[in-house]
Amino acid sequence: MSPDRGPGAGPPAPEVPGRDGADSFVRPFAMTGGRTRATLTLRLETMVEVAAHTDPATLGPEVQPLLHACARALSVAELVNELHLPVGVVKILVSDLVESGDLVLQDSAAANLDVSLVDRILDGVRAL
């Protein structure tokens, strides 16, 4: 049972299964090894997904919830919401997993956007 965090205290610390199966709290800085910056530049809309060859059982318990959530492609923002972790922590964990080959980045929808379509839509809105 966690102590009363009070209003505006933010989301609770994530629960990670311990060796004995009991849940224990892990502080976000412990999940990142004290690091505060990701090695990759990730935007909130960046889509990530578990690589086909990844065996989650071989990775640490701190990334298990993240890998489970990424069974389908999710944006970094969706991961933040689903995992109840700070943005910086999620970016660091995702960056580490991308570099190790356990997560893959998906093409951003913005990168595939047809600029001429946007121009035509803007022209149509201006004509109103």
Side-chain angles (χ1 to χ4, degrees):
M1 191 173 209
S2 66
D4 183 18
R5 297 171 48 79
E15 292 185 17
V16 176
R19 287 189 196 127
D20 59 359
D23 289 335
S24 59
F25 289 106
V26 176
R27 298 285 178 217
F29 66 85
M31 296 177 76
T32 64
R35 293 174 296 141
T36 59
R37 301 236 186 252
T39 54
L40 298 177
T41 301
L42 300 169
R43 297 173 56 100
L44 289 176
E45 65 271 12
T46 301
M47 301 293 287
V48 294
E49 189 172 22
V50 173
H53 70 276
T54 299
D55 180 11
T58 63
L59 300 171
E62 66 278 359
V63 296
Q64 296 297 325
L66 189 144
L67 291 171
H68 178 71
C70 289
R72 61 181 167 75
L74 288 178
S75 69
V76 172
E78 290 171 311
L79 285 171
V80 167
N81 183 53
E82 191 163 317
L83 300 174
H84 305 289
L85 289 172
V87 173
V89 171
V90 171
K91 284 184 174 183
I92 292 168
L93 294 175
V94 166
S95 178
D96 290 349
L97 291 169
V98 167
E99 287 185 340
S100 68
D102 295 308
L103 285 181
V104 292
L105 299 177
Q106 301 295 318
D107 288 334
S108 171
N112 297 327
L113 189 60
D114 181 6
V115 176
S116 65
L117 173 63
V118 174
D119 287 337
R120 290 193 315 257
I121 291 170
L122 285 173
D123 291 341
V125 169
R126 287 183 190 124
L128 294 174

